[in-house]
Every structure is written in structure tokens, then in C-alpha cells.
Amino acid sequence: YDAWRVEDGRHVAIKVLALPEDLDKSEAELTKKRFYREARILSSLKNEHSVHCFEYGVFSGAPCVVLEFVEGQQLDTFLRDFGALPFEYGVDIVCQVLEALEEAHSLGIIHRDIKPANIMVIQDSDPPVVRLIDYGIATLLEGALGELMKTKLGVVRGTPSYMAPELFSGTTSASPESDIYAVGLVLCEIITGTIAVSGSSLVQIAFKQAHEPLEVPKNIPECLARVIRKCCEKEPTDRYHNARDVINELREVLPEAVKQRAKCEAEYLQ
């Protein structure tokens, strides 16, 4: 629901859990737990690039959560409207997402579904401000905000084109490196205008994620391509291990990437 809170006039979004009537009792209880877990996670996040949760409880017998209302456009729609963005914009957008993840990871929270559709672009500034949304399938690390709820074996949660290879097995827990893998793919998509890993089926996409090295187009300067490839290494141990390291690396290479842009594009077209 689109709403305004009576006590302070704040514009909010009320998210109410609607369960299918044919859902069995155990699945219904698990779904409710996931819903409240999302609310608990959102309530703990304070970074300006995360959507904030003000309260949660029960509305007309159904679990609900009261969220900050974000005026903006999803990044996937934004890219369809505007196409590939300059390096400066791409790096800035991704660094904002990484700042949100830096706080989340420090609290033991893994987003697990980083993708353009979960990044809101607020267009009233230049460069645009973005907010990371939908922690609905986030995983809590052991010892964080509550008991770890492990994904059931054989159930794939996430969006295949942005999922790290290890998540397809169903036996490996998500990690900060899993989110960083997805961030690398999102950056590649922002600056090329094309989904980096796609296919006609889940099996085909899963195979590419697990076995085919990411191909960064040659019109992307090597200094920037190197950061993207490291984010998207097949083995988690070979990736960056925290969001701040990626931010620092991207900001360090950006001036050189901008300097080399015209030359790389000319060679690519040739």
C-alpha cells in the first residue's frame, strides 16, 4: 500500500504478506518467518543507500512491514530507457550499492539478490543517487540478528543471471563474496548496456556462471575490466572479500579508465 503515517505525515509503503490459500501450513509458517526476517534485517540498516524499515507487525491478521517510500526508477528500467552509461556514472552507482553492502555485511547480512531491478535510481540529482532494496531472501550469517535459516537443498533462490557459481549447488551458504560477484556483473551491465550472463534456460545460465570466464568487452579499458573480472572470479577465495576494497579499487582506476576510453572505443570499433 502507498500510505502516509498519521503520527508524522511520513510517506511510506506498507508491504503486506498475502499467502496463497492452497499453501500448506509448514510452508506458510516458513514464509512468515522469512517475511519477519526481512523486516528485522531492514530495521537494522541505517546506511543512506539502503531502504529503511520503520516498523513491522500484523495488519488485519496478516504480517506487514512499514517501509520508507522511495521515489525513483528501477535500474533495469533506467538502463532500458537510457542505454549504457558512462564509466563515471556506472562506478558511482555501484559504489553507492557497495556502501550499502559494506554496512549489511558488517552486520552479518548477505543480500543474495543484487540485480538492477533491486536498485532504485533517484533522478533528481546528477549523478543520480541509488538505493538498494528487497532484502527478502537475504541470509543472516551465524551469530547475526537471529538464527541462520538455511536454504533447503535443491532450492535455488536468487536471480540466475546475477548468481555466483557456488549458489547453484544449494549446499553452499551465501557470503559477502557472493554479493560482490553480483555487483561485478551489474557494473558490467551498466557500462555495456547488456546483461553480462544470459541464456535460454536456467541450466544454460548456471553452466556459464560455473564454467565460462566472464568476457568483458574490449571497449572497456583493462584497468576497469580487471576489477570487474576479480569481482566475478569463479572461486570466492579469488574475489574481493569486502565491499570497501572494491570501492577503493574502482575509485583508484576510474581516472585512468576515463583517460583511455576514447582509445579503447576506437580500437574496438576498428
Side-chain angles (χ1 to χ4, degrees):
Y1 295 92
D2 184 10
W4 282 262
R5 207 162 59 165
V6 173
E7 64 186 69
D8 56 10
R10 185 186 292 274
H11 194 184
V12 297
I14 304 177
K15 187 175 178 180
V16 180
L17 180 62
L19 296 172
E21 292 182 5
D22 59 350
L23 198 65
D24 66 59
K25 189 175 180 179
S26 62
E27 275 295 325
E29 287 304 313
L30 182 60
T31 304
K32 287 180 182 179
K33 284 182 180 179
R34 287 201 183 107
F35 187 89
Y36 283 126
R37 185 186 63 194
E38 177 181 6
R40 195 166 65 250
I41 291 168
L42 288 171
S43 297
S44 70
L45 298 174
K46 307 301 179 188
N47 187 274
E48 62 179 322
H49 299 298
S50 291
V51 171
H52 301 139
C53 172
F54 300 119
E55 54 189 298
Y56 57 94
V58 178
F59 175 75
S60 297
C64 75
V65 61
V66 181
L67 304 170
E68 171 187 16
F69 186 90
V70 179
E71 295 273 6
Q73 185 179 26
Q74 289 169 297
L75 180 59
D76 56 343
T77 306
F78 187 83
L79 293 175
R80 281 199 295 272
D81 290 345
F82 295 98
L85 301 180
F87 302 155
E88 301 93 325
Y89 281 79
V91 167
D92 187 68
I93 287 172
V94 162
C95 282
Q96 292 179 60
V97 172
L98 287 163
E99 285 180 13
L101 287 176
E102 182 180 30
E103 180 197 29
H105 292 169
S106 73
L107 295 170
I109 302 165
I110 312 302
H111 189 284
R112 200 170 177 162
D113 200 21
I114 303 293
K115 59 183 178 181
N118 281 338
I119 299 168
M120 293 291 290
V121 181
I122 302 165
Q123 298 180 48
D124 58 359
S125 61
D126 186 18
V129 172
V130 301
R131 308 286 289 279
L132 182 60
I133 65 172
D134 199 357
Y135 284 80
I137 61 169
T139 301
L140 303 185
L141 294 179
E142 209 71 62
L145 304 170
E147 181 183 353
L148 177 65
M149 290 176 62
K150 293 185 178 178
T151 301
K152 290 186 294 183
L153 183 64
V155 177
V156 174
R157 300 193 184 280
T159 305
S161 286
Y162 305 92
M163 283 172 62
E166 64 271 14
L167 298 183
F168 286 95
S169 68
T171 59
T172 304
S173 297
S175 65
E177 289 83 359
S178 307
D179 281 347
I180 287 170
Y181 183 94
V183 167
L185 294 177
V186 169
L187 177 56
C188 192
E189 183 172 342
I190 292 172
I191 60 181
T192 63
T194 304
I195 295 175
V197 181
S198 60
S200 58
S201 68
L202 171 61
V203 172
Q204 190 178 62
I205 294 172
F207 181 85
K208 286 183 177 181
Q209 297 285 34
H211 302 292
E212 295 183 6
L214 178 66
E215 290 187 16
V216 182
K218 298 295 185 185
N219 58 329
I220 308 300
E222 177 55 27
C223 58
L224 185 54
R226 185 177 65 248
V227 179
I228 294 172
R229 284 196 294 267
K230 185 171 180 180
C231 288
C232 299
E233 288 286 354
K234 300 304 178 189
E235 293 295 330
T237 52
D238 295 331
R239 298 174 205 149
Y240 296 97
H241 301 302
N242 63 77
R244 179 53 53 180
D245 285 349
V246 188
I247 293 171
N248 292 341
E249 193 87 13
L250 284 172
R251 287 177 175 163
E252 184 178 330
V253 304
L254 180 60
E256 183 61 27
V258 171
K259 194 184 301 183
Q260 293 180 17
R261 174 166 44 205
K263 179 184 175 184
C264 287
E265 288 178 348
E267 290 176 355
Y268 179 72
L269 291 172
Q270 205 169 39

